[in-house]
Amino acid sequence: MPRPATDQSAPTTAAPAPPTELSLDERLAFVSAAMSVRLDEAMVAYEVNTAHIEIEPVNLADIVTVPLTPTLQPPPESFLTPVAALLQRAHHRLLTGGWLSGSLTDEDGAHCMLGAIRTEARGDSGLAADAATVLLDAIRRKFGDGIDSVPTFNDSHGSGRIPMRMLDRAAGLADARGL
């Protein structure tokens, strides 16, 4: 039995090419466009829903303004005893100049606890030694006798928050002792 002839002149349709995958930038562009449409719709809905609410204009003279860059002021009162006053100045130096660990000072003006004490002692090594002794005593009162020195305590912290707090406590302790 012969096979029926096929029509060679009939057009053949090729299968469509598979879709190409979009790049990340193209996908982000589509998502951005979709989000813009959604945000525009939300903005219109907000305007419609709040159109009935009356609002008073803001008087700009009533707005309180503050400086954009706060400035640290020196401590309002100094302790009267020399060691307490030195510890308070060292605390203020760390607060304004910055705290660091691993060395006494750096080129940017930051100090460790002992570096701030020595700088504020202005060459009086006896006063600096008395302040370091009171500071170590305040540290040991708070953290136990396992602390062997002020630099060890200073370098064991990742920020200056606790070392500065200890300088402040030591200043109060020195004042209470009359030092």
Side-chain angles (χ1 to χ4, degrees), residues 72-79 88 91-92 95 168:
L72 293 173
Q73 301 298 321
E77 299 177 17
S78 292
F79 288 106
Q88 185 180 35
H91 174 263
H92 187 68
L95 193 62
D168 191 43

Side-chain angles (χ1 to χ4, degrees), residues 8-93:
Q8 299 291 336
S9 64
T12 58
T13 56
T20 60
E21 189 172 322
L22 296 176
S23 70
L24 177 62
D25 290 335
E26 292 169 330
R27 289 186 305 197
L28 288 175
F30 284 129
V31 169
S32 177
M35 288 304 297
S36 294
V37 169
R38 291 178 71 183
L39 287 172
D40 289 342
E41 290 172 355
M43 183 177 62
V44 170
Y46 174 79
E47 292 294 328
V48 168
N49 292 335
T50 60
H52 68 282
I53 301 173
E54 293 183 29
I55 51 174
E56 295 179 25
V58 175
N59 184 359
L60 294 179
D62 294 338
I63 297 175
V64 177
T65 59
V66 294
L68 294 178
T69 55
T71 56
L72 293 173
Q73 301 298 321
E77 299 177 17
S78 292
F79 288 106
L80 299 177
T81 59
V83 173
L86 170 61
L87 289 166
Q88 185 180 35
R89 288 193 313 269
H91 174 263
H92 187 68
R93 178 168 291 276

Side-chain angles (χ1 to χ4, degrees), residues 137-162:
D137 187 35
I139 291 168
R140 285 179 175 162
R141 283 179 176 210
K142 176 73 177 167
F143 296 98
D145 291 331
I147 308 297
D148 61 339
S149 68
V150 171
T152 301
F153 176 78
N154 183 79
D155 294 347
S156 68
H157 290 84
S159 75
R161 187 175 55 88
I162 293 174

